[in-house]
Amino acid sequence: MRKTGLMGLVLLSLGLFVAGTWRVNRPVVFASVALLLGAHYLAARPSLVRLRRPGVWLWPAGILLLAGMLGTPRDFTVLGIPLSSQGLLAGIDMVGRALFLVGLGLVLSRALGGRLRQHQRLHQGFPGFRMALATAARTVPELGAELRRSLPSLSRSSRRAHWKGFDHLVKSMLSRSIDLAEEMAEGDWGSPDCSREVIALVCPQGGGKTWRMTQLADALTNAGAPPGGVLQPALWKDDRKVAYDLILLPEGQRIPLAHRNNHGPGFQFVSGAFDQAATQILRSASEDRAVLVDEMGLLESEGKGHLPAVRKALFVPGKSPFILAIRAGCQEAIQAGLGVTLQTLTAQEWDPQSLVDRILPNRETTSAPALEFKGPEQTPTRL
Amino acid sequence: MSSSPSDILNHRRFWAYAASFGALWGAMEATLGVFFHALRLPLTGLALSALSVFIASAQRSLIPRPGITLATALIAAICRAITPSTALLGPLVAIALEGALLELGFLVLRSGTPGAMLGGSLAVCWSMSQGVVVKVLLYGESFVDLVLEAGKRFSNLLGLGSFPWTALATTLFVPSALLGALAGFLGVSYGKRLKIERERKRNSP
């Protein structure tokens, strides 16, 4: 209500100003200026302090005086100075116009500033200009403080030391900006775009995450919307996990991810496998497919494995959801690492058909071939 | 939307550099700018625009992507405009136009030293003339008549034939253009130096 009233006042004063200038009616012009300044007072009381500064009035006073002195004919005298009434009137017109435009600028800049701050709060996580602006606005105080801290280093004794200090200051400020940019480019942008749904299937180790995710991938493929992302089936030999593979969706290409370490406990990862997975996850997100990521566990809870790729992919504009298979006990760390709220489903709540209905509300069933994959709960694959 | 992962990463990199250098530019305007203006130092605008040209040229030599200078300037302008107690359109317009002129220089002569020098000259000259342009916009065309009349009277007072407008413009704009070109040149060379140093550090064992 207040905003509408304010906008109405600004528009009214604008109309009056245009009409007054067009008809050369000074009282109307000055009424428009008064109205606008009143509107400005309503919008931003503190900035009216500006009007108390002498600098604000020096220019208009100078212009008025000059116009009076330089105009012709000089038809009256003030304090012994011959002045022109025509010149003074022209000066009044100029000052009125300037006051109006400055007032308009003050109102607009205050309104825009408020709107931008509001946008910053609402759209944290939007990639592109708004996101960059929000990040920059958060970074300005930090860089400003660093600049203020570094300035005293310039006051060195000799000229050479002074220039060295200056060179150091410039280089350190630029380096800091590059570091910040690289950090941001690698993913530290605050909360990502939350317009995508992020569903998490939380199961204990060996609880059938891969099998259930494969069911969902099949159901989505049959519904005519082949998902993207990665599946991570384990390979078994004599009831013992000996390796992990990656299945890149939607193509179904299979690549090795890790094999049991021959010289110690745990698994040894194949070089470049996570990079390939990251590429696939990002590509799937950019193609706006439902993105399946199996699995996110201990490695991801430490910010490694698939987590950086998923975090980056969440920034990619799109509507399709992410479905993550998360090992029980790791969901809180992974949620914190991703910076989004997970919609958690347990193994009992997992129903691929209802998920397909949720992901594709207006689907038309087609008979696409299902993925050929056998999980650990069925026949052990390979080896 | 069907962009490749490398497109997405490049897009992120573009905005990351725009945000970071926009913040640096905005911080410089909000700290040094406010400080210089408070001290009422002469030619503050000229010094600030030369520093802006330096920052933008260094950034352009680090990431020579078309449009990044303009994006950075817009971010810096908004950062400066929403800095508490300085919510004015003046610096916003000045920074945005400096960015646009720098971008123009880079578009015409590519993202190297010549582009930075041309763009820098234009940007610093703009900061020099912004005061006059803004006053013409504020006070209208009568202001031009007033200034011309004042110049005529002043030259009559000094016994000169006509007011030396050309000499005045040359005295004001040539040093400004040279300062802008120097800032652009230094910015590019600092950017290149930093790039080499960082690559060397990355490659060292």
Side-chain angles (χ1 to χ4, degrees), chain B residues 160-180:
Chain B
L160 303 167
S162 60
F163 192 78
W165 292 111
T166 320
L168 184 69
T170 312
T171 315
L172 289 176
F173 285 105
V174 170
S176 305
L178 286 174
L179 180 68

Side-chain angles (χ1 to χ4, degrees), chain A residues 29 74 82 102 117 137 150 155 197 199 242 248 288 307 317 321 359:
Chain A
V29 169
R74 295 186 187 186
V102 167
R117 275 191 284 271
S150 310
S155 53
E197 214 177 354
I199 301 163
V242 289
L248 307 178
D288 209 9
L307 191 116
I359 295 166

Side-chain angles (χ1 to χ4, degrees), chain B residues 49-141:
Chain B
S49 60
L51 280 171
S52 308
V53 168
F54 175 83
I55 292 171
S57 307
Q59 181 212 34
R60 191 68 174 226
S61 71
L62 287 161
I63 177 161
R65 297 270 307 276
I68 196 165
T69 310
L70 186 58
T72 309
L74 289 176
I75 288 170
I78 297 171
C79 284
R80 171 69 175 87
I82 62 174
T83 306
S85 86
T86 53
L88 271 173
L89 281 179
L92 190 146
V93 174
I95 298 170
L97 274 169
E98 278 168 22
L101 289 167
L102 266 165
E103 188 66 52
L104 183 72
F106 286 126
L107 282 177
V108 173
L109 294 178
R110 295 246 179 123
S111 305
T113 310
M117 289 173 77
L118 174 68
S121 305
L122 292 173
V124 177
C125 282
W126 160 253
S127 83
M128 194 71 197
S129 50
Q130 191 189 350
V132 177
V133 174
V134 167
K135 276 177 186 65
V136 171
L137 286 175
L138 281 180
Y139 296 108
E141 59 192 51

Side-chain angles (χ1 to χ4, degrees), chain B residues 26-40:
Chain B
M28 187 271 292
E29 291 274 355
T31 49
L32 285 183
V34 171
F35 180 64
F36 286 166
H37 279 297
L39 288 181
R40 307 235 172 250

Side-chain angles (χ1 to χ4, degrees), chain A residues 59 70 74 94 97 101 109 116-117 132 136 147-148 167 170-171 174 177 179 181-182 184 187 286 315, chain B residues 1 3 12-13 16-17 19-20 24 31 54 75 78 82 87 135 137-140 143 153 190 194 197-198:
Chain A
W59 262 102
L70 296 174
R74 295 186 187 186
M94 283 193 269
R97 182 190 154 104
L101 291 175
S109 66
L116 280 167
R117 275 191 284 271
L147 192 63
R148 277 193 295 273
D167 181 64
V170 171
K171 271 169 73 175
L174 289 177
S177 302
D179 290 341
E182 292 294 339
M184 286 179 215
S286 67
F315 287 106
Chain B
M1 165 102 206
S3 45
R12 289 170 59 79
R13 205 177 177 75
Y17 269 83
S20 158
L24 177 65
T31 49
F54 175 83
I75 288 170
I78 297 171
I82 62 174
K135 276 177 186 65
L137 286 175
L138 281 180
Y139 296 108
F143 182 77
R153 296 272 177 99
Y190 261 87
L194 275 173
E197 278 176 23
R198 291 174 78 85

Side-chain angles (χ1 to χ4, degrees), chain A residues 30-332:
Chain A
F30 275 89
S32 71
V33 173
L35 200 60
L36 188 75
L37 289 175
H40 179 239
Y41 179 70
L42 287 176
R45 283 162 211 218
S47 67
L48 270 195
V49 174
R50 237 181 268 279
L51 297 180
R52 289 191 209 145
R53 292 179 192 159
V56 174
W57 300 102
L58 274 178
W59 262 102
I63 293 283
L64 211 56
L65 190 67
L66 265 178
M69 284 170 69
L70 296 174
T72 48
R74 295 186 187 186
D75 45 7
F76 72 105
T77 309
V78 175
L79 301 169
I81 305 168
L83 295 174
S84 155
S85 56
Q86 288 296 318
L88 271 180
L89 286 175
I92 287 171
D93 285 345
M94 283 193 269
V95 170
R97 182 190 154 104
L99 269 177
F100 183 84
L101 291 175
V102 167
L104 196 63
L106 284 170
V107 173
L108 284 179
S109 66
R110 179 59 63 155
L112 283 176
R115 183 66 61 85
L116 280 167
R117 275 191 284 271
Q118 197 181 5
H119 267 276
Q120 270 177 38
R121 282 197 295 274
L122 290 176
H123 296 279
Q124 301 280 322
F126 191 91
F129 184 77
R130 280 191 295 188
M131 185 67 196
L133 181 60
T135 314
R138 281 201 304 271
T139 319
V140 166
E142 193 190 324
L143 285 171
E146 193 157 326
L147 192 63
R148 277 193 295 273
R149 270 197 305 276
S150 310
L151 279 174
S153 69
L154 291 181
S155 53
R156 306 275 174 87
S157 51
S158 70
R159 186 173 290 179
R160 193 176 168 165
H162 183 85
W163 278 113
K164 220 172 172 179
F166 183 75
D167 181 64
H168 176 74
L169 167 73
V170 171
K171 271 169 73 175
S172 66
M173 291 305 294
L174 289 177
S175 292
R176 182 83 189 102
S177 302
I178 299 168
D179 290 341
L180 277 172
E182 292 294 339
E183 279 169 27
M184 286 179 215
E186 285 302 315
D188 190 15
W189 284 75
S191 303
D193 182 8
C194 295
S195 61
R196 285 177 188 265
E197 214 177 354
V198 187
I199 301 163
L201 163 67
V202 180
C203 276
Q205 193 176 12
K209 287 186 289 295
T210 306
W211 170 65
R212 288 186 170 84
M213 292 290 269
T214 311
Q215 268 188 331
L216 178 63
D218 287 345
L220 282 167
T221 308
N222 285 334
V230 290
L231 296 178
Q232 195 177 300
L235 306 173
W236 299 72
K237 193 179 180 186
D238 304 331
D239 292 336
R240 186 170 177 250
K241 263 182 207 166
V242 289
Y244 283 99
D245 274 358
L246 276 176
I247 296 178
L248 307 178
L249 299 176
E251 296 88 357
Q253 188 196 345
R254 195 165 187 140
I255 57 166
L257 172 69
H259 52 80
R260 195 164 278 285
N261 202 339
N262 292 331
H263 309 291
F267 287 85
Q268 196 169 0
F269 289 97
V270 176
S271 160
F274 274 121
D275 292 342
Q276 259 182 289
T279 307
Q280 196 69 16
I281 290 167
L282 276 166
R283 183 178 296 142
S284 304
S286 67
E287 288 168 357
D288 209 9
R289 294 175 187 278
V291 182
L292 273 54
V293 182
D294 168 51
E295 118 180 322
M296 300 185 78
L298 292 174
L299 204 60
E300 283 73 16
S301 64
E302 291 168 2
K304 298 172 193 164
H306 298 304
L307 191 116
V310 174
R311 192 175 157 79
K312 269 180 200 170
L314 284 171
F315 287 106
V316 179
K319 294 278 174 216
S320 300
F322 278 64
I323 301 104
L324 316 174
I326 298 181
R327 186 185 289 189
C330 299
Q331 67 266 35
E332 277 183 25

